Amino acid sequence: MAKVILGDSEKWFIIHGIQDDLRNDGRSCDDYRHIEVETGVISNTHGSSRLRLGNTEVMVGVKVELGTPDPHSPNDGLIHFHVDCSPNADPSFQGRGGEELSSNISCILTRIFNNKTAIDLSTLGIIPHKQCWVVHVDVLILECGGNLFDAVSVAVKASLHNTGIPNIQVTDGDEGTQEISLPDDPNDVKFINTNNCPLLVTISKAGSRHIVDATADEESCCNASLVVGVTRRGRTMGMRKMGEGSLDPESIPEMIETGKNIGRQLHIALDKLLKVEQGMANDIEKVGYL
Amino acid sequence: MPTDARRLAAPDSSQDPKLFGDIVKPQTLLDENEMRADGRYMTQPRNIFLQCGVVSQAKGSAYCELSKTKVICSVYGPKDIEMREEFQINKGKLKCELKYAPFSSSKHREHIPDAEDVENSDILLQAISPAVCLQRYPKSQIEVHVLVLEDDGSVMPAAITSASLALVDAGIEMYDVVTASSVRVAGQEACFIDPISSEQFSRASLHKSNDINQGMVMVALLPSINQVSSILSVGHLESSVLQEAITTCTFSAQNLHSVVRKSIISSFKK
């Protein structure tokens, strides 16, 4: 990960601040930074979003293509996550430098979507064993300002919400074959149901307290954090400890509880925004990446 | 797909023939006598076998067997850092690799590590690094290689436990050993300790669309200093169920401590 180099005294200053529930930017331990989300920003995608959280900037584009289903679940569609860390965000991402971080992020996304409810993949099936929709979610990290996991998951949910899949018709052709026909109208699409789509909440342990939405500076002071996938109803979908430190077993229930509450609030705020965005459709001018 | 030109080329993609047959999978994890597929009770872990010093060339090594799950681990180092970027003046670098033998699982595994292998290696690294006193090994690296010979579920806990045992065998300074355990959650109050392959959670194995409280949880523990070094969960779980599963896992990992200690002592007596 892009590391900020801090001296010992700077680290102690941050940790003591957290201990007193007052962080460097004036937030308390459970406060999130301001989030900006915009959907439908890239014309060549089926769904897209751009997110800014403090100094973290993430862009997500979703493309849906036709493919063959996984033989383990022949009736379902597929969803793939690819994360790319741009060297613009941090010079250390040059070449293969960003690979570790991007594989970490895509693995945790795969982990939280690895169940039947997050995205109902059976709605993406077309012809069992033969054809299905393959959803490619491509995440581009443009700036690292801490808390990448949460930022990416919010952007992914926003872009999936915005994703329109063409309403295709399957008709029986000659000799038992089946034919797929696309609608003529490009706006004849169905939207993916994101009601149960989880969001990631990273709870970082610093000193004896834990914080959410850590900035890059704070991240370098924390050596263990818990990344939890939370649904709108406050259930968990996948969790992983990150970092090279260890956690006190007594603090884990508290951390999960914090993650659950923060996750619910995030969902409510995001859903409200997505509803507004959807209503406005094409009326507003997109800001895009500045 | 990247291929390895040095090996004989197999077909680009192939499937397990079992997928095309009509094999009836058991619908439930418990039979009518409250027994699991391999004749265990729900909260009964498999018998574990641990041994140190199985690879003579390595600085330290360990072998772990949980019935049909077989894992071998060797530790090399401390030695010079190979890559200049990884050099640290005040602490050492721990490197982990978890590799499945191509024939270890029900499907054929590729020789080239895929995304899952990379994630597994990273999970292993994060689970054992809190236990190693890396500040005692400045400017050097310690390599941990875990090879899964046979996979019948709960590979990660076996890998973590054997890696910590191999580090002890190599004489690396540590705060504590690491023991790990996993459970399969199936419903409100059903935690199956130490699941076998057929009991493991996978999206394709779920029959109903309602999959609440179906999943897996793994916990790695430093048992003497009571610290959790890794938590991993997958599946749709209510937080009360998740916490219950974490407690079960922690307890089960704690129980492994005496076994690990015994095998360390017996390796020194030799």
Side-chain angles (χ1 to χ4, degrees):
Chain A
M1 187 163 312
K3 276 270 158 65
V4 188
I5 298 167
L6 289 182
D8 279 348
S9 42
E10 284 173 294
K11 284 187 181 173
W12 279 115
F13 182 78
I14 292 173
I15 291 172
H16 284 150
I18 290 166
Q19 219 77 292
D20 297 336
D21 203 14
L22 182 66
R23 290 151 74 177
N24 279 5
D25 44 9
R27 288 183 288 157
S28 73
C29 289
D30 294 348
D31 277 348
Y32 234 78
R33 282 174 289 179
H34 180 72
I35 308 182
E36 264 175 51
V37 188
E38 192 176 23
T39 56
V41 283
I42 308 162
S43 61
N44 282 333
T45 57
H46 293 90
S48 59
S49 68
R50 179 195 70 93
L51 174 136
R52 193 168 180 89
L53 167 71
N55 284 327
T56 304
E57 179 101 30
V58 173
M59 218 167 195
V60 179
V62 181
K63 285 239 184 218
V64 287
E65 288 180 344
L66 289 169
T68 22
D70 179 16
H72 291 275
S73 46
N75 302 317
D76 296 352
L78 296 168
I79 185 160
H80 291 302
F81 297 95
H82 312 271
V83 181
D84 189 21
C85 300
S86 156
N88 290 328
D90 193 288
S92 67
F93 292 158
Q94 210 177 52
R96 306 185 65 176
E99 235 168 53
E100 195 186 321
L101 178 63
S102 48
S103 85
N104 263 338
I105 299 176
S106 55
C107 283
I108 194 111
L109 285 173
T110 312
R111 177 174 292 278
I112 59 168
F113 280 92
N114 183 9
N115 56 58
K116 287 221 158 152
T117 21
I119 294 281
D120 188 3
L121 291 180
S122 60
T123 57
L124 301 175
I126 303 168
I127 307 168
H129 291 286
K130 295 206 172 75
Q131 287 279 305
C132 70
W133 288 113
V134 183
V135 180
H136 292 280
V137 182
D138 293 295
V139 182
L140 191 59
I141 291 165
L142 297 167
E143 219 180 317
C144 290
N147 205 15
L148 271 180
F149 292 101
D150 301 19
V152 167
S153 75
V154 173
V156 165
K157 181 176 172 178
S159 60
L160 283 174
H161 182 87
N162 181 240
T163 301
I165 296 175
N167 272 320
I168 49 164
Q169 301 287 329
V170 180
T171 44
D172 286 330
D174 303 333
E175 295 158 12
T177 56
Q178 281 164 313
E179 279 175 11
I180 294 173
S181 55
L182 267 171
D184 296 331
D185 180 10
N187 290 326
D188 184 9
V189 290
K190 63 172 184 212
F191 288 96
I192 295 179
N193 181 356
T194 52
N195 281 341
N196 289 315
C197 192
L199 291 181
L200 287 170
V201 181
T202 309
I203 307 113
S204 315
K205 183 100 186 166
S208 60
R209 288 188 81 138
H210 49 258
I211 53 169
V212 295
D213 189 23
T215 60
D217 287 355
E218 284 163 345
E219 270 175 2
S220 66
C221 303
C222 305
N223 47 13
S225 57
L226 210 57
V227 186
V228 192
V230 186
T231 64
R232 191 156 57 166
R233 290 188 176 172
R235 297 198 176 106
T236 62
M237 278 186 180
M239 177 176 62
R240 192 183 154 185
K241 189 217 83 170
M242 301 298 280
E244 296 190 350
S246 58
L247 296 167
D248 186 12
E250 267 104 66
S251 68
I252 291 166
E254 275 172 52
M255 289 168 88
I256 295 174
E257 208 56 34
T258 311
K260 202 172 107 176
N261 294 334
I262 299 289
R264 261 150 118 180
Q265 290 169 25
L266 257 183
H267 270 289
I268 293 169
L270 181 64
D271 287 347
K272 211 156 123 197
L273 179 121
L274 291 175
K275 222 172 195 173
V276 175
E277 282 252 326
Q278 202 174 23
M280 295 201 276
N282 304 319
D283 305 343
I284 40 169
E285 201 185 327
K286 300 290 178 197
V287 180
Y289 183 63
L290 292 174
Chain B
M1 203 178 68
T3 48
D4 190 344
R6 285 165 297 178
R7 295 180 200 273
L8 278 178
D12 256 358
S13 74
S14 50
Q15 300 295 344
D16 183 3
K18 278 186 206 144
L19 284 172
F20 301 94
D22 294 319
I23 295 163
V24 187
K25 282 183 194 162
Q27 296 281 320
T28 53
L29 295 173
L30 282 176
D31 66 7
E32 60 273 20
N33 301 324
E34 302 276 296
M35 288 291 202
R36 290 156 69 172
D38 56 353
R40 281 183 289 155
Y41 296 107
M42 195 168 79
T43 54
Q44 187 184 359
R46 284 179 282 188
N47 292 338
I48 188 167
F49 174 76
L50 288 167
Q51 195 178 349
C52 295
V54 286
V55 181
S56 58
Q57 298 298 312
K59 186 87 186 293
S61 59
Y63 172 75
C64 174
E65 195 175 298
L66 287 163
S67 152
K68 274 199 275 180
T69 297
K70 296 175 181 115
V71 173
I72 195 163
C73 173
S74 14
V75 171
Y76 294 88
K79 59 184 186 185
D80 275 355
I81 287 216
E82 280 160 13
M83 293 216 292
R84 200 162 50 93
E85 310 83 88
E86 288 172 354
F87 183 86
Q88 280 168 302
I89 194 81
N90 52 357
K91 62 188 254 195
K93 170 95 187 159
L94 192 64
K95 284 185 144 187
C96 282
E97 182 195 42
L98 194 153
K99 208 168 146 29
Y100 280 83
F103 45 77
S104 58
S105 322
S106 58
K107 67 164 193 197
H108 176 254
R109 292 252 176 191
E110 294 296 327
H111 297 281
I112 300 162
D114 57 11
E116 192 194 334
D117 292 335
V118 175
E119 189 191 20
N120 284 337
S121 304
D122 196 45
I123 292 168
L124 176 66
L125 172 70
Q126 293 186 351
I128 59 173
S129 54
V132 184
C133 307
L134 282 174
Q135 73 280 9
R136 307 286 291 185
Y137 301 95
K139 305 182 227 170
S140 42
Q141 70 175 22
I142 299 160
E143 284 177 17
V144 179
H145 299 277
V146 180
L147 180 65
V148 180
L149 299 172
E150 207 174 334
D151 169 8
D152 190 27
S154 309
V155 164
M156 207 29 139
I160 292 170
T161 313
S162 62
S164 85
L165 197 59
L167 283 166
V168 172
D169 189 44
I172 306 288
E173 287 187 47
M174 291 166 83
Y175 295 109
D176 198 354
V177 291
V178 191
T179 57
S181 168
S182 64
V183 296
R184 163 74 204 268
V185 183
Q188 279 268 329
E189 277 169 5
C191 281
F192 294 80
I193 295 179
D194 193 7
I196 57 171
S197 294
S198 61
E199 288 169 342
Q200 298 217 79
F201 170 84
S202 78
R203 179 160 60 190
S205 72
L206 297 176
H207 297 282
K208 291 165 286 180
S209 59
N210 179 9
D211 66 345
I212 292 172
N213 293 334
Q214 295 284 339
M216 293 244 294
V217 177
M218 189 207 75
V219 172
L221 192 71
L222 309 179
S224 335
I225 56 174
N226 195 29
Q227 288 278 309
V228 171
S229 69
S230 176
I231 299 191
L232 205 60
S233 92
V234 66
H236 190 185
L237 304 170
E238 280 174 289
S239 63
S240 59
V241 176
L242 173 68
Q243 284 173 15
E244 185 62 33
I246 292 173
T247 319
T248 314
C249 262
T250 314
F251 182 71
S252 163
Q254 192 82 48
N255 284 346
L256 276 178
H257 189 201
S258 60
V259 186
V260 173
R261 219 163 35 190
K262 226 176 260 172
S263 72
I264 294 171
I265 293 167
S266 68
S267 81
F268 278 108
K269 276 183 184 158
K270 261 191 281 183

